[in-house]
Amino acid sequence: MKVGLIGLGRMGAGMAANLLRAGHELTVHNRTIAKTKTLASQGARVAASVAEACRGDAVITMLADDAAVEHAALGTGGIVDSLRAGALHISSSTVSVALSRKLAEKHAAAGQHFIAAPVFGRPEVAAAGRLFVVAAGEPQVLEAAAPLLDAIGQRTFVVSRNPMVANLVKLSGNFLIASVIESLGESMALVGKAGVERRQYVELLTSTLFDCPLYKTYGALIAEEKFEPAGFAAPLGHKDVRLTLEAAEALRVPMPLASLLRDRFLTLLAHGNEQLDWSAIGRLAADDAAVPRG
Ligand SMILES: NC(=O)c1ccc[n+]([C@@H]2O[C@H](COP(=O)([O-])OP(=O)(O)OC[C@H]3O[C@@H](n4cnc5c(N)ncnc54)[C@H](OP(=O)(O)O)[C@@H]3O)[C@@H](O)[C@H]2O)c1
């Protein structure tokens, strides 16, 4: 397909490379132009503007947050202004339910198609084309998008005809991941203070009752205190917990654990740790308990 991709950050760069590998005719756009270099050398066209990236059958956005996606999609000369009628916007960023609803309305009014297709998996998973895609939209539109979603992910889960439901499901998943990071951090602070070696402890957990990728990945990061370079930056983790709470409030769903996690992220950011991986909240319990670092 002829496709544009806007947002070549940690995730978007890998997704773009896989679209090229799958044989799609790709045009990329990024605010910081230097990040387009590698992809250009791999055969992607580089667009100087959002509008230029919207000349094909579809455009994928993989930008940081609501503000960036809203500006790219709804700003003057943005995606809604630029896509032809019948073309498709695939929104893969983790954004709010409210923005997803707004994008669906604006694209429909312009005669364009819209699906939400947020993803699970960190940058190395994106680079390997092994993401899990959570998709929602009209069935015939999802079908048309399948060659693109297949190029970036190992499996697509269709959760609804209504795009914003995919965003809600994605946010719920990130809330669960953050809960695991926090609980791993607390249990490691407990045994760590008593002198148990943290890597051995994670080995014990993940080879018995907690034999799953999440505990393995985050257990290792917390045990090794390897929070840099960030795979998923702390401000984005904070964003996701905030958006989860926003959605929960709109639906009148109390989520006390999410409220606690929001404060954990605020603590991390208040100490100037914007550059760290979000798993760094897993170190806070040990800090509270005066467990020595390293
Ligand atoms: N990292 C993960 O593990 C992961 C996993 C699943 C989902 N996600 C979600 O995927 C999305 C992208 O994450 P990421 O880790 O790739 O983030 P990232 O590395 O921080 O990249 C963010 C991208 O957004 C662009 N951007 C940010 N603010 C902008 C603005 N105001 N105007 C225009 N462009 C702007 C950046 O452009 P510049 O290059 O110019 O800064 C960059 O292309 C986020 O919604 C995140 O929550 C991330």
Side-chain angles (χ1 to χ4, degrees), residues 7-12 30-32 35 62-65 68 92-94 119-123 170 231-232 236 239-240:
L8 297 174
R10 295 175 180 91
M11 298 294 288
N30 197 59
R31 177 179 61 178
T32 309
K35 290 191 194 168
M62 196 48 169
L63 295 158
D65 54 18
S92 284
S93 315
T94 310
V119 298
F120 284 112
R122 287 168 62 88
K170 166 64 191 170
F232 183 51
L236 295 182
K239 164 200 64 125
D240 290 354

Side-chain angles (χ1 to χ4, degrees), residues 113-264:
H113 297 301
F114 175 72
I115 63 171
V119 298
F120 284 112
R122 287 168 62 88
E124 61 277 15
V125 179
R130 304 285 295 162
L131 293 167
F132 290 112
V133 182
V134 181
E138 289 301 327
Q140 73 280 11
V141 182
L142 289 167
E143 205 176 304
L148 301 175
L149 302 183
D150 290 348
I152 62 168
Q154 59 174 295
R155 189 166 165 194
T156 298
F157 296 82
V158 175
V159 292
S160 175
R161 297 177 84 114
N162 184 350
M164 69 180 185
V165 175
N167 299 95
L168 186 66
V169 170
K170 166 64 191 170
L171 288 170
S172 77
N174 272 22
F175 156 70
L176 267 176
I177 301 172
S179 318
V180 167
I181 295 171
E182 171 65 22
S183 52
L184 271 170
E186 290 185 24
S187 46
M188 275 196 247
L190 178 68
V191 299
K193 189 144 192 195
V196 174
E197 210 282 315
R198 288 191 304 245
R199 287 178 197 79
Q200 266 180 16
Y201 177 67
V202 171
E203 169 70 20
L204 180 161
L205 292 178
T206 56
S207 46
T208 53
L209 293 180
F210 300 92
D211 181 13
C212 95
L214 203 60
Y215 282 87
K216 286 181 179 159
T217 302
Y218 287 105
L221 290 175
I222 299 167
E224 287 161 26
E225 299 184 355
K226 192 173 181 311
F227 305 128
E228 278 181 285
F232 183 51
L236 295 182
H238 172 240
K239 164 200 64 125
D240 290 354
V241 174
R242 193 169 43 74
L243 295 182
T244 303
L245 283 166
E246 217 174 271
E249 190 161 345
L251 289 165
R252 296 283 181 269
V253 179
M255 294 181 73
L257 192 46
S259 299
L260 179 147
L261 289 166
R262 188 205 33 208
D263 280 344
R264 281 310 220 189

Side-chain angles (χ1 to χ4, degrees), residues 87-91 100 103-104 107 112-116 136-138 141 163:
L88 165 67
H89 175 193
I90 301 175
S91 167
S100 198
L103 291 174
H107 282 299
Q112 300 152 348
H113 297 301
F114 175 72
I115 63 171
E138 289 301 327
V141 182

